[in-house]
Amino acid sequence: MEFEVNRNNCDAVKHATRKRIWDEMERRQLVRYPLPLQGRIPNFNDSRAAAFNLCSTPEYRRAKVIKVHPSLNAAWIRGLSLKHGKTLLVPPLPGNRFLYFRLNRRDLPRDINWSYVASKRGFNQYGTPLSLKEIPRVDLVVVASVACTRAGPRVGKGKGYGEVEYGIIGILRDVGAVTAETPVCTLVHDAQIVEEADLPSTALAVHDLPVDFIATNTKVIRSSSKLPKPTGIQWDLISEQMMKDIGALHELKKFRNDSSFR
């Protein structure tokens, strides 16, 4: 019972932080379409500047394969990754039976519109679906956030899809998809940075994904602590809707006893 109470308290802390950020950013007109912001990853003003700040980091410059979330505020970093010759991994629309599309500029038309191919419609048109066994080693993970702290804790919009997705590739660690040292970062507006008292590390569940650094519209922030990252799937938290939306979970169930995944 104590565990349930504590977990509920943690969920309440995260929900309160999300709501405050959603309300503040909408009130200050710091976001663009889609609105209302409640329940969404903020498509914040100056996301272009945040993307260029991310590009300035050694983690980005070294990376050959970058996984980026599909939300609108990451369109600039998706486009820049392709222009810079990176291999881009991005999730498809809900309901597909694979985890990522793969895109690389060498596979795209020479006269491609980078803004289009970086959009959801574009990467769903030009991306190559990958089975779990085809996912390459990921050098940098860009995860979506509603709020985060300078210490590393972050929260998404509350559905847990980003955590499940990371948990899937976490299971693939033995075949090189990610390691415990694979850097994880996020793109946010300065207004999405909250104090540690508002989002303490103790509020994170075992499946929550922290970040190693943050690229905002004005700066890069290095996390002040090294928090553990999830390594698998909490199957008891997987809903029927999540199974439908993240079709790769079916493939994972099918192959999780396969010797090639051990």
Side-chain angles (χ1 to χ4, degrees):
M1 176 62 72
E2 182 178 354
F3 169 77
E4 291 296 331
V5 171
N6 289 338
R7 187 175 71 181
N8 289 339
N9 287 343
C10 291
D11 289 344
V13 167
K14 290 186 282 189
H15 176 73
T17 299
R18 289 187 192 99
K19 187 176 187 308
R20 180 167 66 82
I21 293 299
W22 284 326
D23 291 346
E24 179 183 351
M25 294 191 77
E26 198 164 338
R27 176 179 58 81
R28 294 173 59 188
Q29 298 183 337
L30 298 176
V31 288
R32 302 187 294 272
Y33 171 87
L35 293 171
L37 187 54
Q38 183 83 18
R40 304 181 190 275
I41 297 298
N43 182 23
F44 60 90
N45 300 338
D46 298 329
S47 59
R48 176 181 183 273
F52 276 97
N53 283 334
L54 175 54
C55 291
S56 73
T57 65
E59 290 89 346
Y60 177 86
R61 292 195 297 268
R62 287 194 299 263
K64 295 181 180 179
V65 178
I66 300 180
K67 177 267 159 183
V68 181
H69 66 88
S71 298
L72 282 169
N73 71 19
W76 269 99
I77 196 62
R78 291 194 296 268
L80 288 169
S81 296
L82 291 171
K83 288 183 71 174
H84 294 158
K86 314 286 189 184
T87 294
L88 174 67
L89 304 182
V90 60
L93 294 171
N96 284 283
R97 285 291 182 126
F98 57 93
L99 190 63
Y100 294 133
F101 283 118
R102 181 187 64 222
L103 296 101
N104 192 290
R105 68 177 301 167
R106 66 175 176 267
D107 301 323
L108 298 171
R110 289 188 178 183
D111 59 347
I112 192 72
N113 181 309
W114 296 109
S115 296
Y116 176 74
V117 77
S119 70
K120 289 185 179 181
R121 182 175 295 179
F123 61 69
N124 276 274
Q125 177 180 343
Y126 288 104
T128 299
L130 298 179
S131 70
L132 292 182
K133 292 183 178 181
E134 293 174 318
I135 294 174
R137 179 186 179 93
V138 179
D139 301 311
L140 178 63
V141 174
V142 183
V143 65
S145 298
V146 171
C148 51
T149 79
R150 293 172 176 81
R154 56 162 283 283
V155 288
K157 57 188 177 183
K159 290 187 175 182
Y161 283 29
E163 281 75 13
V164 170
E165 178 195 326
Y166 184 86
I168 293 173
I169 59 173
I171 290 174
L172 304 183
R173 282 181 176 179
D174 289 344
V175 293
V178 297
T179 73
E181 302 306 314
T182 303
V184 177
C185 68
T186 193
L187 296 161
V188 297
H189 191 278
D190 285 334
Q192 292 172 256
I193 305 295
V194 301
E195 296 300 323
E196 293 180 43
D198 296 319
L199 187 59
S201 59
T202 52
L204 300 185
V206 294
H207 60 275
D208 285 331
L209 179 60
V211 294
D212 299 303
F213 66 96
I214 304 161
T216 81
N217 53 307
T218 65
K219 63 178 91 60
V220 173
I221 302 171
R222 298 283 167 179
S223 299
S224 59
S225 58
K226 184 70 174 177
L227 299 174
K229 300 183 179 78
T231 58
I233 300 295
Q234 301 290 310
W235 288 101
D236 58 318
L237 300 179
I238 302 299
S239 66
E240 182 178 343
Q241 186 61 50
M242 196 174 285
M243 289 294 294
K244 292 179 180 178
D245 289 346
I246 308 177
L249 286 167
H250 294 279
E251 185 184 0
L252 184 64
K253 273 194 166 184
K254 179 180 178 181
F255 289 111
R256 60 182 172 173
N257 295 323
D258 190 321
S259 61
S260 66
F261 280 88
R262 296 173 186 169

